[in-house]
Amino acid sequence: MIAYWAARNAGDELVLRIDDLDSPRVKQWAIHQAIEDIRWLGIDFDGEPILQSTHQPHYQDAIDSLTRSGKEPVS
C-alpha cells in the first residue's frame, strides 16, 4: 500500500510484477485471484501485469554469460 501511494503521489506509474518462476507450484487461478484481491483493495496499476516467466530467456542469457566467464551462478 505504501508503494501504491508513493507512486501515485509522485505521479509515477505502478506496475504489477508477478513472480511465477516456480512453475510446479504456480497455479493460473491463483494469479487471477491475487490480481482480483489487489483490485478489491482499491489498488490499481498501470498496464497489464508482468509475468516474470516472460523474461526467462533474459535470465538464461545472464546465467550463460556468467558461466562462460568462469563464474558459477548461485542456485
Side-chain angles (χ1 to χ4, degrees), residues 16 33-45:
L16 177 62
Q33 186 63 54
I35 293 169
E36 290 305 312
D37 291 348
I38 291 167
R39 287 186 173 140
W40 180 85
L41 290 170
I43 298 173
D44 60 330
F45 41 88

Side-chain angles (χ1 to χ4, degrees), residues 3 5-6 8 10 15 24-26 28 30-31 36 40 42 45 47 54 56-57 59-60 62 66 68 73 75:
W5 287 112
R8 293 300 183 228
V15 178
R25 294 184 353 174
V26 174
Q28 196 64 31
I31 292 172
E36 290 305 312
W40 180 85
F45 41 88
T54 62
Q56 187 68 29
Y59 305 142
Q60 190 60 53
L66 287 170
R68 282 192 304 274
S75 301

Side-chain angles (χ1 to χ4, degrees), residues 1-2 8 18 26 30 41 43 46-47 50 55 57 60 62 64 70:
M1 199 63 137
I2 293 171
R8 293 300 183 228
I18 298 174
V26 174
L41 290 170
I43 298 173
D46 300 297
I50 298 171
H55 297 282
Q60 190 60 53
D64 294 343

